[in-house]
Amino acid sequence: MKKFYFLFALLLSVMVASAATIPAGTKLYLTPNSNWKVDNARFAAYFFGNGDAWVSMTKVAGETDLYEVTSPNKSYTNVIFCRMNPGTSANNWDNKWNQTADLTYDGTNNHYTVKTGTWDKGGGTWSFYGQTEELLLGVSWSPDGTIYPGDNVTITASVVGQPANSTIQITIDGNTTTGTTATWVAEEAGEYTVKVACIGSDSKEIGSKEEKLKVTAITSEWGVYLVKPSEWTNANIYSWDSNGNPTGAWPGSAMSVTKIGETEYYYYMVRNVNEISVIFNNGTEQTVDITGVTGESYFEFTSKNGEGKWQVKNITDVVTAIDEVAADNAAVEYYNLQGVKVANPENGIFIKKQGNKVAKVVL
């Protein structure tokens, strides 16, 4: 009977020459069920297809009920995990108590768990155990410049060589998201650990990557405004000072829209800088360089110069004078960062509107 079984297995391996193989030196793992663990049974693996070989399994250090084996000397097409008589040392069918079905290896999932309640050929599941050299994890976020309390942050995980049936998790500030992207509203100033982890189908961590995300305190904040030109449907603000580019690399940061009185403006709140130079642009057209911008400032287009760039004039004094008259008796309104009006704002960052004046405030 055993000889017939061996001949059949060899014939099958020839018929399916294109099947996945178990290369020499491959580590495979076994988790026996409670049935298999009784009577101090030991465990072995029988490799076959392209010859055959028995190899004893050993317990994995630091693990509970996990055994490993390394495939010997050549590639095989199949493996059978066996529960063996502990009173014997030789691995053969006479000393076998129970066995799995004929199993194939997919090249990634290396850990077989015997199905609960079964004894022989009762099924089981493959999963991944350990970390492969091919698994590479990375993490990035946007905005990629300075992040302040209240900013909406998008965290992205990059993954190379992800094992089959595994998942990616992103964790920040105690919150975990499954997938390769996560969103987070930056909290108070400080450093936060961003962790990207690959989790196997057995719920164990295969590998992880950690980076520190810094949230910078807001020490000053003021707005730069551009009267919304009819020629543009969007606007960015690119800026520079002695320390770099506060609003990011070209074309800068997208500007929001607000209405002051009867006039619509593009605006951007500049943080933690005293003086900057700016260029407004829509990705195609741009203004001339506007230097020496300090404090809340308002601008509007005039005409294009010989280079096709829009020239601007500073209307801060005019707008400020109107604001001061209108704001004295105007009611104060608060909005959250999504533009929803808030009746009783507290413990957060809000947009304060009084008359024609708009500013972000921390309460």
Side-chain angles (χ1 to χ4, degrees):
M1 181 64 181
K2 298 184 184 69
K3 288 182 179 179
F4 173 78
Y5 178 85
F6 297 157
L7 290 172
F8 177 77
L10 289 171
L11 178 60
L12 181 62
S13 69
V14 172
M15 293 173 62
V16 288
S18 61
T21 60
I22 306 171
T26 300
K27 274 197 173 185
L28 299 179
Y29 299 87
L30 172 71
T31 295
N33 63 18
S34 57
N35 290 355
W36 277 36
K37 290 187 292 183
V38 299
D39 298 325
N40 297 314
R42 61 186 181 87
F43 304 101
Y46 172 70
F47 295 92
F48 65 99
N50 189 31
D52 63 282
W54 282 95
V55 184
S56 294
M57 304 192 73
T58 57
K59 197 166 187 179
V60 178
E63 295 284 0
T64 301
D65 300 327
L66 182 67
Y67 296 80
E68 66 181 4
V69 65
T70 301
S71 58
N73 59 46
K74 63 171 73 174
S75 294
Y76 298 92
T77 60
N78 299 85
V79 63
I80 297 173
F81 296 112
C82 297
R83 175 175 178 257
M84 309 298 292
N85 182 345
T88 64
S89 58
N91 295 319
N92 54 48
W93 295 111
D94 291 331
N95 295 333
K96 180 215 75 173
W97 278 351
N98 302 97
Q99 69 175 78
T100 66
D102 298 0
L103 304 175
T104 57
Y105 171 59
D106 67 4
T108 300
N109 293 292
N110 57 2
H111 173 210
Y112 189 81
T113 301
V114 180
K115 186 177 180 180
T116 301
T118 62
W119 288 100
D120 284 292
K121 303 181 182 181
T125 56
W126 284 100
S127 60
F128 181 82
Y129 175 81
Q131 180 169 350
T132 65
E133 294 180 359
E134 292 77 19
L135 176 62
L136 298 174
L137 298 173
V139 58
S140 61
W141 48 78
S142 63
D144 57 1
T146 306
I147 296 174
Y148 298 96
D151 283 356
N152 292 309
V153 182
T154 299
I155 302 168
T156 303
S158 62
V159 187
V160 177
Q162 181 179 351
N165 301 319
S166 65
T167 57
I168 300 300
Q169 292 182 348
I170 299 174
T171 301
I172 181 170
D173 197 25
N175 299 309
T176 298
T177 301
T178 298
T180 56
T181 60
T183 57
W184 179 66
V185 179
E187 299 186 2
E188 62 184 20
E191 278 196 340
Y192 295 82
T193 299
V194 181
K195 179 180 178 179
V196 172
C198 182
I199 308 299
S201 58
D202 58 357
S203 299
K204 293 183 179 180
E205 185 178 293
I206 299 171
S208 64
K209 173 77 172 181
E210 291 186 356
E211 296 285 356
K212 294 293 185 181
L213 184 154
K214 182 180 180 181
V215 178
T216 301
I218 300 173
T219 58
S220 67
E221 185 174 49
W222 41 273
V224 179
Y225 296 79
L226 173 67
V227 175
K228 190 176 181 182
S230 58
E231 297 86 352
W232 287 10
T233 57
N234 68 285
N236 306 309
I237 179 172
Y238 174 74
S239 66
W240 65 97
D241 62 11
S242 59
N243 295 316
N245 304 105
T247 54
W250 182 267
S253 295
M255 302 181 73
S256 301
V257 177
T258 189
K259 192 170 185 180
I260 302 177
E262 298 302 316
T263 305
E264 281 193 311
Y265 292 84
Y266 288 116
Y267 79 96
Y268 184 86
M269 304 306 293
V270 180
R271 295 163 170 170
N272 296 8
V273 296
N274 296 319
E275 179 178 331
I276 57 172
S277 298
V278 305
I279 295 174
F280 300 115
N281 70 88
N282 66 355
T284 303
E285 295 185 320
Q286 69 172 73
T287 65
V288 297
D289 296 1
I290 307 167
T291 59
V293 180
T294 59
E296 189 164 291
S297 303
Y298 296 79
F299 301 92
E300 70 176 348
F301 282 1
T302 55
S303 59
K304 289 186 176 180
N305 65 11
E307 296 178 327
K309 297 179 180 179
W310 284 100
Q311 300 178 99
V312 299
K313 66 178 179 180
N314 190 324
I315 58 172
T316 302
D317 290 344
V318 175
V319 175
T320 301
I322 296 172
D323 281 353
E324 288 176 351
V325 173
D328 285 342
N329 298 315
V332 176
E333 298 175 338
Y334 291 95
Y335 298 82
N336 64 22
L337 297 177
Q338 287 71 47
V340 179
K341 191 172 182 179
V342 179
N344 299 299
E346 60 180 3
N347 300 325
I349 300 174
F350 301 90
I351 299 173
K352 176 183 177 182
K353 185 175 185 296
Q354 184 174 23
N356 293 331
K357 301 200 72 173
V358 178
K360 282 187 180 178
V361 294
V362 179
L363 300 177

